[in-house]
Amino acid sequence: MKVDTIKTSPEAIVASAQKYFDDGCRLVAATCVEEGEELRVIYSFDRELSLENLEISTPREKAIPSLTGVYACAFLIENEMKELFGLEIDGLSLDLGGRMYLVDGAEPAPMADHNKPKAKEDEKIG
Amino acid sequence: MGRITAPFGPQHPVLPEPLHLNITYEDEKVVGLSPAIGYVHRGLEKTAEKKEYPENVFLVERVCGICSFMHAMTYCMGIEELMGIEIPPRAQYLRVFYSEISRLHSHLLWLGLFADAFGFENLFMQYWAAREKILDLMELTGGQRVILSSCAIGGIRRDLNAEQIDTAQGVLMQTEEELKRINPVMLNAYTVKQRTVGKGMLSREDALLYGAVGPMLRASGVAQDLRQTGYAAYRELGFAPVVETDGDSYARALVRVRETCQSIELARKALERLPEGEAAVKVKGNPDGETMQRVEQPRGELLYYIKGNGSKNLERLRIRTPTFANIPSLLKMLPGCEMADVPVIVLSIDPCISCTER
Amino acid sequence: MAKMISTVMSNLTHCPKTRLYPLEERQLPPGTRGQIEFDMTKCIFCSLCAKRCPADAITVDRKGKTLVFNPFRCIICESCLEGCPKDAISLFSHWRAPVTALYEQKYQPEPGQAGD
């Protein structure tokens, strides 16, 4: 089973989000999922109680544009992605500087080191 | 005029949880703020990847103490969808019952705290005394006062017997009477209106722009409640969202007051129409694929993204909690208000920081 | 306002809604998840409870036939009860008393005697 998404490119994401905004849709969430070397970001919009998703894939080093220009609420979501996955985001309206959850001296991007070999080890024991 | 930046929270008399805002004041007026959350981040999303999927039910229950049942329910609904499990109708109705008493106790908690935020301590105690009855009911039916642990993948772990249903009906009826006595004080008292009417305005457009959810959104005139989508047994029970149009703190209190009455009605209806039969089905196999589940929590919309890979461990669990979506609206509501109104406005979003930071 | 006065009057004439806790204990309803206990006469050290425990509160040494239970990690979720093939774990509806130091409970196969 897959979540229904519309694939788009990081360059086009702001324009697509603007279209949703003009339709009176609400930005629900952005979900970052690590898939191999790439990061997949799913933006979810709510249109009259049904969920519509936009999806982009990006290499981790490459910055993606921020949606804060369209949806003001995106700053919290994007700060979280930036901090937990090490995803660079261009044009954040309010940058919490990677100190939203993490403290000084914490390991950067804790969610990103998707430690798959370890998960398999756990399975063997279980 | 001199500007001063002072922290609001994380430890503040009106805050039940450690929300931290750095607020810039100009004399007594708020001119800017920056949220600095992060006091109770526990890395639950990461922990969930290391645990086996049935164990995660108990983990996600602990995302938030107050709406723990809803978290477990959303997670279970997601896993059930991935594994293609049909849960029995009795479990669907029991899920509605448990969610509604959770909502009831959460709203009563909030109404009490809200009264306390503007210094009406008597009202605070009255609401909490009413809430105590609901907590006792939760203990009787689920086994514990707050963390119910009654939801499991495949249904409900603890079925209710006839005696418990009778007691529950009695308690709900009693609470309804009690609330009829308390609610007019919250809604009509002169002092309450002075502190809440016109404070923390959020228009319909701003609510959408700042992504507000739940009672915040409904108080701003958007009739959106995920229970309308009819998950669990809401479709059979019939449901219409509570909407107010003023978009101030008073409207938000009014939405919640009306929702408590609605919750009692829904919980009682669910018990009356409770179908006979099993309350859970056996679960075999592992989840594979990805899904998104949304549920209406007391504070608003909750979103779970679950990705399994056919093994016992999940690949990714993402939790978007309602307070996470409501905090940005503070950026709109607070600037321009008086310093003395900050606690009331902050509380009117019903902040749940354990939820937000996970 | 008249409504509030009736509330005030009833509060004056009625006993308090709170209890003097250590002196007066509340009767918990049956089925309350208070604490769990192991019955060593039934336990076969299959370690299913340890595997099911989401809080890792139970460790079982299958060869050495010992079961160590950490009551302060336990979240009383009843997962072990559901998983136990011999019904060797039972639930009590009274809370564990507060302690000043953490401890672990060690169980060994002594027939008819629950170890502590």
Side-chain angles (χ1 to χ4, degrees):
Chain A
M1 190 189 281
K2 275 262 181 201
V3 170
D4 291 331
T5 55
I6 304 162
K7 288 216 165 67
T8 176
S9 66
E11 292 77 36
I13 186 73
V14 177
S16 314
Q18 182 70 48
K19 235 174 257 159
Y20 277 103
F21 180 75
D22 294 339
D23 288 355
C25 297
R26 184 163 54 84
L27 176 66
V28 175
T31 307
C32 197
V33 189
E34 194 167 46
E35 280 188 354
E37 289 299 298
E38 298 232 305
L39 285 171
R40 190 169 143 228
V41 185
I42 307 168
Y43 294 91
S44 314
F45 299 89
D46 176 289
R47 187 195 296 270
E48 301 287 314
L49 292 171
S50 72
L51 210 57
E52 291 183 20
N53 302 308
L54 286 177
E55 182 187 327
I56 59 170
S57 280
T58 169
R60 182 168 303 123
E61 316 76 59
K62 216 175 148 211
I64 60 164
S66 163
L67 289 194
T68 43
V70 184
Y71 284 98
C73 59
F75 82 92
L76 213 54
I77 304 169
E78 287 177 344
N79 268 302
E80 189 188 67
M81 286 199 291
K82 185 178 167 182
E83 199 169 316
L84 297 182
F85 282 92
L87 183 65
E88 281 304 317
I89 290 161
D90 265 347
L92 260 176
S93 66
L94 182 64
D95 194 344
L96 299 175
R99 290 289 169 268
M100 184 170 151
Y101 294 145
L102 304 179
V103 291
D104 288 330
E107 188 188 338
M111 289 289 284
D113 65 317
H114 209 116
N115 219 336
K116 280 190 180 112
K118 208 174 173 191
K120 266 185 198 146
E121 241 169 61
D122 287 351
E123 256 173 62
K124 268 184 213 156
I125 298 164
Chain B
M1 247 180 282
R3 285 193 173 192
I4 183 166
T5 302
F8 179 84
Q11 306 301 332
H12 190 278
V14 306
L15 285 177
E17 292 193 52
L19 171 64
H20 181 188
L21 301 168
N22 284 317
I23 304 183
T24 310
Y25 300 99
E26 205 173 83
D27 285 348
E28 293 258 313
K29 262 206 159 52
V30 177
V31 288
L33 85 153
S34 116
I37 60 174
Y39 269 80
V40 280
H41 178 58
R42 293 151 290 167
L44 286 183
E45 286 180 1
K46 191 72 184 167
T47 316
E49 290 167 13
K50 303 280 177 215
K51 295 250 171 218
E52 291 179 10
Y53 77 91
E55 295 176 346
N56 278 341
V57 180
F58 304 106
L59 183 76
V60 296
E61 274 198 319
R62 280 156 180 81
V63 168
C64 170
I66 299 161
C67 28
S68 74
F69 181 80
M70 317 279 227
H71 276 280
M73 183 171 86
T74 323
Y75 176 77
C76 291
M77 279 162 61
I79 296 284
E80 280 153 11
E81 197 181 308
L82 287 182
M83 296 171 67
I85 301 166
E86 274 284 319
I87 73 162
R90 190 176 175 88
Q92 302 277 29
Y93 278 78
L94 283 174
R95 281 185 181 181
V96 170
F97 166 71
Y98 279 124
S99 342
E100 289 310 319
I101 57 171
S102 303
R103 188 182 320 276
L104 185 56
H105 110 80
S106 171
H107 278 353
L108 290 178
L109 174 122
W110 179 83
L111 285 164
L113 288 173
F114 191 57
D116 195 43
F118 47 71
F120 204 156
E121 283 193 21
N122 195 331
L123 192 55
F124 158 70
M125 286 176 201
Q126 298 288 329
Y127 270 120
W128 277 44
R131 173 177 173 260
E132 201 58 29
K133 296 269 179 348
I134 302 298
L135 289 183
D136 286 351
L137 175 62
M138 284 165 93
E139 189 171 32
L140 177 75
T141 53
Q144 249 171 24
R145 281 163 59 88
V146 181
I147 307 275
L148 280 162
S149 292
S150 53
C151 199
I153 299 162
I156 288 285
R157 296 168 84 203
R158 282 199 184 203
D159 201 355
L160 300 187
N161 57 31
E163 197 188 332
Q164 285 173 329
I165 292 175
D166 276 351
T167 321
Q169 290 278 22
V171 170
L172 288 170
M173 233 154 59
Q174 220 182 335
T175 311
E176 199 169 13
E177 289 302 311
E178 185 94 354
L179 289 181
K180 270 186 195 152
R181 190 173 58 80
I182 312 171
N183 283 342
V185 183
M186 181 61 138
L187 299 180
N188 304 334
Y190 172 76
T191 44
V192 177
K193 283 193 167 173
Q194 285 290 307
R195 290 301 305 274
T196 55
V197 174
K199 303 285 194 288
M201 290 298 287
L202 192 71
S203 68
R204 190 193 153 94
E205 291 70 33
D206 285 335
L208 290 171
L209 176 65
Y210 285 88
V213 292
M216 295 278 294
L217 196 60
R218 292 195 286 280
S220 295
V222 183
Q224 229 184 50
D225 190 315
L226 285 165
R227 284 174 284 175
Q228 285 167 289
T229 57
Y231 63 87
Y234 285 108
R235 186 168 294 124
E236 288 89 342
L237 289 170
F239 177 80
V242 172
V243 192
E244 291 293 328
T245 47
D246 294 345
D248 57 0
S249 299
Y250 182 76
R252 292 195 267 279
L254 191 54
V255 164
R256 287 181 175 109
V257 164
R258 286 174 57 195
E259 278 188 2
T260 50
C261 303
Q262 196 186 34
S263 284
I264 294 176
E265 200 189 306
L266 277 169
R268 292 191 59 196
K269 237 197 227 170
L271 285 182
E272 271 164 26
R273 300 193 193 166
L274 195 62
E276 293 296 322
E278 286 288 304
V281 287
K282 281 240 172 334
V283 178
K284 267 191 189 134
N286 293 322
D288 195 5
E290 54 174 9
T291 181
M292 274 191 186
Q293 280 296 330
R294 289 194 297 166
V295 152
E296 186 74 21
Q297 257 196 356
R299 292 171 179 77
E301 169 194 56
L302 170 73
L303 179 132
Y304 267 62
Y305 169 86
I306 304 169
K307 188 177 180 202
N309 53 4
S311 76
K312 274 201 175 313
N313 300 82
L314 296 178
E315 204 160 299
R316 174 97 166 96
L317 175 72
R318 194 247 193 278
I319 308 168
R320 204 296 316 262
T321 53
T323 309
F324 193 84
N326 277 335
I327 283 178
S329 55
L330 283 178
L331 263 67
K332 172 73 197 161
M333 296 192 296
L334 283 179
C337 79
E338 294 283 317
M339 188 181 178
D341 291 331
V342 172
V344 175
I345 296 172
V346 169
L347 223 72
S348 78
I349 73 163
D350 200 355
C352 177
I353 304 306
S354 299
C355 262
T356 312
E357 298 171 8
R358 308 174 301 278
Chain C
M1 271 293 116
K3 276 181 185 140
M4 284 303 271
I5 287 165
S6 76
T7 309
V8 171
M9 289 313 288
S10 79
N11 282 351
L12 270 177
T13 48
H14 283 70
C15 56
K17 284 186 175 168
T18 47
R19 272 177 302 272
L20 286 168
Y21 164 61
L23 305 174
E24 199 184 329
E25 256 185 72
R26 189 164 71 103
Q27 280 300 309
L28 296 170
T32 301
R33 299 197 306 273
Q35 53 178 295
I36 57 165
E37 223 160 79
F38 294 84
D39 182 353
M40 277 299 117
T41 53
K42 289 182 185 166
C43 181
I44 52 166
F45 298 94
C46 64
S47 84
L48 272 179
C49 50
K51 204 181 140 192
R52 279 208 167 208
C53 182
D56 303 330
I58 310 170
T59 37
V60 177
D61 181 1
R62 294 174 75 164
K63 278 191 197 130
K65 298 241 178 269
T66 42
L67 184 151
V68 180
F69 170 58
N70 184 344
F72 304 100
R73 280 194 77 93
C74 176
I75 55 170
I76 328 161
C77 63
E78 285 188 303
S79 285
C80 47
L81 266 84
E82 286 169 3
C84 186
K86 295 283 171 192
D87 290 329
I89 310 170
S90 42
L91 183 79
F92 290 92
S93 66
H94 53 88
W95 308 111
R96 193 172 292 277
V99 291
T100 49
L102 301 179
Y103 59 86
E104 284 184 335
Q105 288 175 339
K106 210 173 208 169
Y107 291 96
Q108 254 149 9
E110 286 170 82
Q113 192 190 338
D116 198 8

